Amino acid sequence: MEPTPSRRLLAVADDLSGAAETAAGLASRTTRSRVVLVGTAAAPRHPGEATVLDLDSRQLSAAEAARAVSAALALSPSGDTLVLKKIDSLLRGNIAAEVAALAAGGAGVVVAPALPAAGRSVRGGVVHLGATPLTAPTPGAPSR
């Protein structure tokens, strides 16, 4: 489902910088784009509008983050609204719980964590920062 001038888009992000980045990226694909903070009216109001909701969920428990996504979905009119979940390119936050909440209603979900412009790619199912797998130990970091 593509964003079009007649379709509403609701994007959810787990922090404000991710919400702003998403709104900026969507601005050229929609008639208008806005960032909304959690706790305010978040449903896309107009056809062609992209509303990006900052759930402020990165530091929440997985269950609380999933509830935040479900609450955001409840605000959006069903039917012609495309839903996007912005994830952190370093896979921080409650990605599994939030994506599961998106899929709970039977919606198909595509997960694409790469951000090539920032040197972040996925190869063989592993996120890489440049040539280094995200799972590799960070030099100088304390071991666990």
Side-chain angles (χ1 to χ4, degrees):
M1 188 184 293
E2 276 285 315
T4 66
S6 63
R7 185 171 288 131
R8 292 173 176 87
L9 186 141
L10 174 66
V12 292
D14 66 1
D15 70 354
L16 183 56
S17 64
E21 175 186 354
T22 302
L26 292 170
S28 67
R29 306 274 310 189
T30 58
T31 59
R32 59 182 99 186
S33 181
R34 67 187 178 121
V35 174
V36 179
L37 301 178
V38 70
T40 56
R45 298 176 293 198
H46 309 284
E49 179 178 88
T51 297
V52 185
L53 177 60
D54 168 21
L55 296 178
D56 196 25
S57 62
R58 186 170 296 174
Q59 305 305 320
L60 298 177
S61 71
E64 291 170 321
R67 281 193 292 276
V69 168
S70 296
L73 292 176
L75 296 173
S76 182
S78 60
D80 205 26
T81 300
L82 175 64
V83 178
L84 170 75
K85 167 65 179 111
K86 194 280 185 194
I87 65 172
D88 181 76
S89 65
L90 297 178
L91 305 182
R92 294 175 289 198
N94 295 293
I95 296 168
E98 293 185 16
V99 170
L102 287 171
V109 175
V110 175
V111 177
L115 183 59
R120 298 167 187 162
S121 61
V122 178
R123 294 190 298 265
V126 177
V127 176
H128 286 69
L129 304 174
T132 306
L134 184 61
T135 55
T138 304
S143 59
R144 294 183 196 192

